[in-house]
Amino acid sequence: MLIGGICLGAAAQAPEYFYQVRRGYSHIYTAAFNSDGTQIVSGANAFDGRIIIWDVVTAKIIKSFEGGFSEVLSAVFNPEGTLVVTSQTDASVKLWDALSGEEIRTFTGHVQVVPSVSFSPCGRYIVSGSWDGTIKLWDVSTGEEIRTIYDHELGVLSVTFSPDGSMILASSGDTTIKLWNTETGELIRTFEGHEGNVYTAAFSPLGERIVSGSSDGTVRVWNTLTGEGFVLIDEVGGVRTTVFSPDGNQIAFASYSEVVVLDANIPFVWDEETNEGINIFSGHGHIVHTVAFSPDGSRIVSASADRTIRLWDVKTGREVRVTAGHIDVVTSVAFSPDGGSFISGSSDSTVIHWDRETGNVIKTITDPYDGITSTAVSPCGKYFAASFHIRLRVWDAQTGSELFTLENDNIIYTVMFSHDSKNLFSVSLDGTVRIYDVAAGEEIIRYRDNIELKCMDVNFNSTRIVTSSINGDIKILEAATGEELLSIPRHYDSVRSLSFSPAGRYILSSTEYYKVTLWDSQTGEMVREFELDSSDRSVFTAVFSPNGLLVACGTWDGSIFIFNTVTGRLLRTLDDHQNIVTSLSFSPDGRRLLSGSADRSIKLWDVASGAEIRVY
């Protein structure tokens, strides 16, 4: 194992991470616990710009708010957990309401990047440090600048208050660490010894010691009163962040992509045979920007340029989940009409609008109450729709503004737009089909079957609807009246998905138990069954390609099968998801296939070669 270029023997056991939160293609620069350890706040780069508050136990998003178009380099809670302060690359410091996500105020005065910010222990003040070489003290309640300290020869890289709030500690690119009196702004002491940028400096819980990390490859521990210190460890990769454990007995630091925990009281001595005295947390794929202990010291949170936040259990290291973009099951995916973007919905109560090529998040829409069961993009590209349990919400695709919300009487399983984008269709658990006028935001037609409906589709000219019930019946209805035109009774078992072929001549159905079937929509006769490579694969979803010549189906074991519609021949199998493939969508040109999964990932595939292009 390598730590900053030093090889450790096999005896060094790296704890696994407790869970991982992956944020699309955004570099995550900061993550911090609240005072009771129940929440984490994170900030990311300009591709995302969001500040997110996460629940530690469930890893679900509690609140997400836009940080703007600059990178969020530092984000911390106030002692009560009611406010969040962030520092950003646009030289601003912003104060947020942690409950509502609303921006309270912006503190302006720095003229260069602000890499670090901190609340005082009493919560009344904020200190910020900037590349412009200044340290600024702010009044939280008024937003007024109390004091500016300018003494470092190069940029300030980290700032923090002492535990009693009487002192401010700052580290700099000029190789020094300086200690200031909070009330007077007078310099108390300068700590010298590092030979490179001092990226990080932090107090021990009682304030009697300081730990610092530098690009010179050393971590040093200093006596606050005397200024004397020792090298805790050397010859490690550039150290970006250091922190004491709550009891002061351990120090955690990040060395490139790894998190290391050492005894805080004595210099570490390498034992190449046993590697005793050192715990290494390996798993990040890029530079770790920040680490923090939970208040009880049992966990460490780390944030990295690999776009992940990882929570580590220091003792057991057990992994709870790995997420990509969403932090729960991806329930649906759908391409935009031009194929340049797509939307995904998840049980984590978010709809994410993605750029297909870059993987960047264009827009995130969060519902505070319910997970998402279905999503849809209008053929004209102007609207997004999603069903949240019993509520149907529609947004403007360009601005992200919500157009209307309508409540149902029961769980909505499926939503979809008519091909002219004028109407929206939904089917719900109680057997009701509803049709809405999109422009007016009103329900215009409703009819109900006498049994629970699971899924539906609308033909190309929106004149017919196909539905399936919980007992396996498939029915074709006249869209305007709900009159039954054709029934295909008892289709083996519960139908999981239904699709009209592009021209409306055929219907594709998939069932929980191994069946993907092509039906004649005029006669109700079975045309063929598509045979999977194993009789025990349960099928969750199946869709036609835009020209109708291909059929793709996703299974409960994470596989995707692509068939020739005409011959029924299996063309290729895509095996890479680690859980149920819940949703499939072909790009408008049929060259790409998008898959969403219960493993919380979204994958983009090349249809011709079967190659995986990107993971979101």
Side-chain angles (χ1 to χ4, degrees), residues 13-18 247 250 261 279 281 293-294 296-300 311-319:
Q13 297 299 312
E16 297 174 343
Y17 43 88
F18 187 69
D247 62 9
Q250 293 179 305
V261 179
N279 289 323
F281 298 72
F293 277 96
S294 61
D296 63 4
S298 65
R299 298 174 188 169
I300 290 173
L311 186 67
W312 312 79
D313 186 298
V314 177
K315 291 184 177 180
T316 68
R318 66 187 179 92
E319 177 185 319

Side-chain angles (χ1 to χ4, degrees), residues 179-195:
L179 191 63
W180 310 86
N181 183 294
T182 303
E183 186 174 353
T184 66
E186 294 179 355
L187 178 65
I188 299 172
R189 181 167 289 104
T190 299
F191 302 86
E192 295 180 303
H194 283 297
E195 297 178 356

Side-chain angles (χ1 to χ4, degrees), residues 67 85 102 107 131 159 195 255 257 295 322 337 373 382 385-386 437 477 526 545 584:
V85 64
E102 294 181 0
F107 304 87
W131 287 5
V159 289
E195 297 178 356
S255 173
S257 63
V322 178
T373 53
K382 293 182 178 179
D437 184 297
L477 311 175
M526 184 178 73
S545 63
L584 294 168

Side-chain angles (χ1 to χ4, degrees), residues 31-72:
F33 282 99
N34 66 349
S35 58
D36 63 9
T38 59
Q39 297 175 5
I40 293 169
V41 61
S42 68
N45 68 6
F47 289 135
D48 186 315
R50 286 191 300 157
I51 298 132
I52 291 184
I53 298 176
W54 311 83
D55 184 284
V56 169
V57 176
T58 65
K60 288 192 173 182
I61 295 173
I62 297 172
K63 180 63 65 175
S64 172
F65 36 105
E66 300 295 331
F69 296 102
S70 63
E71 298 176 354
V72 179

Side-chain angles (χ1 to χ4, degrees), residues 4-21:
I6 295 177
C7 182
L8 301 185
Q13 297 299 312
E16 297 174 343
Y17 43 88
F18 187 69
Y19 65 67
Q20 175 192 153
V21 178

Side-chain angles (χ1 to χ4, degrees), residues 148-175:
T148 295
I149 299 170
Y150 185 79
D151 190 68
H152 282 287
E153 296 179 6
L154 294 175
V156 176
L157 303 180
S158 75
V159 289
T160 188
F161 284 97
S162 61
D164 63 3
S166 65
M167 296 179 288
I168 293 172
L169 185 69
S171 68
S172 170
D174 63 11
T175 75

Side-chain angles (χ1 to χ4, degrees), residues 6 60-61 112 190 260 267 350 369 395 420 534 555 572 587:
I6 295 177
K60 288 192 173 182
I61 295 173
Q112 290 190 39
T190 299
V260 182
T350 62
Y369 304 107
W395 298 270
D420 60 8
S534 174
T555 66
R572 60 187 49 86
S587 60

